[in-house]
Amino acid sequence: MTESTHNTCEGLLGSLSDYIDGELGAELCRQIEKHIAECEDCRIVVDTTRKTIDLVHASNDPQTDLPDDVRSRLFKRLNLDDYLKPSTK
Amino acid sequence: MVETTIKDISIEALRNGDRAEFAQMVDAYSAPIYRLSLRMLGSEQDAEDVLQNTFLSALTHLSNFEGRSSVLTWLYRIAVNEALMILRRGKPEVNIDDHDSSGEHDDIRPTQFVDWGALPEDELLSVEGRQALDHAIQNLPENLRMVFLLRDIQDLSIKDTAEALNLSEANVKVRLLRARLMLREQLSYYYGERMKKEKSND
């Protein structure tokens, strides 16, 4: 990786999250894309960081329900037993 | 996000002591709060304690809810504080308030340049691969892990993450970058080793 000046490896590192999240302006994106076309190490860092976040999302199932026994104890603790059955979901 | 798929919760009804509305809120938000707690603490018992204490605290402090953030963000904030109390029991030095938002990247400069991103999905998400990922997340320092969990796992915006953790948005961004790069680094070691092994088996 090259040393720190803007629009090089160091500059890219600082903007990496924004770039991956699609929050960078077009001009900065263009500069980063130009840089990673020429710098294999940075291309790998960008690709594998993006892949890391994809894997985190893929391995996380947001639809997982609360286990029934945990829900039941929670409602009891909150004195909401009368809303436990039938489920208010 | 979870919130978009559920019926709106009426804050006014909650404040008026409407128990049915409170039960509705508990059902709407208990799963994400429990999942976050489990990720923060790694123990089902501790996660259940945080879950219960979060809603008990919400019930007590409903009058303090100003409506500046969403109900879920507010609950996340309570849950994070409850989880920190448990974490500090074992490690009093745990602190997420330190202002480490310097622009230096020396501690996060990548050292691994293994191109594992093109590995097949089923290999990346194998049981072993998922364990490596969970382990890497668990190994993040507390102050980075909290940010990472809220932003990249619970899918909160930068603004809501900052709100839930009582940090500035700039600070959240710096921590998020560090967390992502640390995870990338750990996964690069892991998949790099696997790629080496596969090569030597050929």
Side-chain angles (χ1 to χ4, degrees):
Chain A
M1 296 187 105
T2 52
E3 283 307 310
S4 72
T5 48
H6 249 33
N7 307 327
T8 59
C9 306
E10 184 76 9
L12 176 134
L13 209 54
S15 303
L16 184 61
S17 269
D18 284 343
Y19 177 65
I20 287 175
D21 291 342
E23 287 169 9
L24 271 196
E27 174 55 22
L28 282 174
C29 283
R30 198 191 59 76
Q31 287 175 10
I32 285 180
E33 275 145 25
K34 182 168 180 289
H35 177 71
I36 58 180
E38 293 160 357
C39 177
E40 178 66 358
D41 281 354
C42 279
R43 201 267 307 157
I44 292 175
V45 170
V46 170
D47 280 358
T48 51
T49 305
R50 188 177 275 137
K51 197 76 196 176
T52 298
I53 299 165
D54 287 349
L55 287 181
V56 167
H57 287 152
S59 68
N60 182 47
D61 181 6
Q63 300 309 321
T64 311
D65 281 334
L66 196 65
D68 281 344
D69 55 333
V70 175
R71 177 172 179 266
S72 167
R73 287 192 291 270
L74 175 62
F75 272 65
K76 284 194 176 116
R77 182 91 194 273
L78 296 168
N79 291 323
L80 291 170
D81 310 41
D82 42 337
Y83 292 95
L84 198 50
K85 288 174 192 170
S87 166
T88 54
K89 275 178 196 169
Chain B
M1 257 176 35
V2 182
E3 274 176 299
T4 55
T5 60
I6 59 150
K7 156 188 175 303
D8 284 340
I9 304 289
S10 162
I11 304 301
E12 204 180 334
L14 291 175
R15 284 188 181 140
N16 289 337
D18 184 332
R19 294 173 69 247
E21 192 72 5
F22 195 77
Q24 179 85 31
M25 180 180 93
V26 173
D27 264 336
Y29 297 133
S30 51
I33 296 291
Y34 182 68
R35 276 199 305 276
L36 172 69
S37 307
L38 209 47
R39 288 273 193 183
M40 285 192 288
L41 298 160
S43 141
E44 287 180 6
Q45 184 56 57
D46 286 344
E48 190 169 343
D49 285 347
V50 166
L51 176 72
Q52 294 185 357
N53 290 340
T54 297
F55 284 103
L56 279 173
S57 175
L59 196 55
T60 314
H61 296 105
L62 264 172
S63 56
N64 296 349
F65 177 65
E66 295 166 357
R68 280 185 296 120
S69 59
S70 71
V71 174
L72 183 56
T73 303
W74 179 58
L75 291 171
Y76 277 142
R77 186 173 185 153
I78 300 173
V80 164
N81 287 327
E82 291 289 338
L84 283 174
M85 270 194 266
I86 290 180
L87 287 168
R88 284 178 188 136
R89 267 187 230 152
K91 294 182 280 181
E93 72 279 8
V94 170
N95 182 15
I96 64 156
D97 305 328
D98 55 334
H99 293 283
D100 54 359
S101 57
S102 71
E104 298 301 319
H105 303 307
D106 285 352
D107 56 338
I108 52 165
R109 197 183 294 276
T111 64
Q112 299 292 309
F113 302 102
V114 182
D115 195 7
W116 54 270
L119 283 173
E121 198 83 345
D122 58 347
E123 192 168 335
L124 291 172
L125 285 170
S126 65
V127 174
E128 214 185 294
R130 282 170 191 259
Q131 281 172 349
L133 179 61
D134 279 345
H135 187 68
I137 295 172
Q138 215 59 38
N139 272 349
L140 288 174
E142 226 66 71
N143 62 345
L144 303 187
R145 198 153 59 92
M146 295 292 180
V147 169
F148 181 80
L149 291 176
L150 288 172
R151 174 74 179 104
D152 278 346
I153 294 192
Q154 304 301 116
D155 218 15
L156 260 67
S157 65
I158 296 281
K159 182 174 173 288
D160 284 348
T161 304
E163 180 78 30
L165 294 173
N166 204 19
L167 297 170
S168 69
E169 290 184 34
N171 204 304
V172 164
K173 282 190 168 195
V174 170
R175 292 180 195 209
L176 181 67
L177 175 65
R178 288 182 182 198
R180 286 171 165 183
L181 286 172
M182 281 178 83
L183 279 188
R184 190 208 74 89
E185 199 79 359
Q186 289 197 53
L187 291 187
S188 297
Y189 275 119
Y190 173 74
Y191 288 117
E193 286 302 309
R194 282 190 43 167
M195 285 165 77
K196 260 190 238 161
K197 263 187 215 162
E198 273 170 28
K199 219 172 185 179
S200 67
N201 289 340
D202 282 346

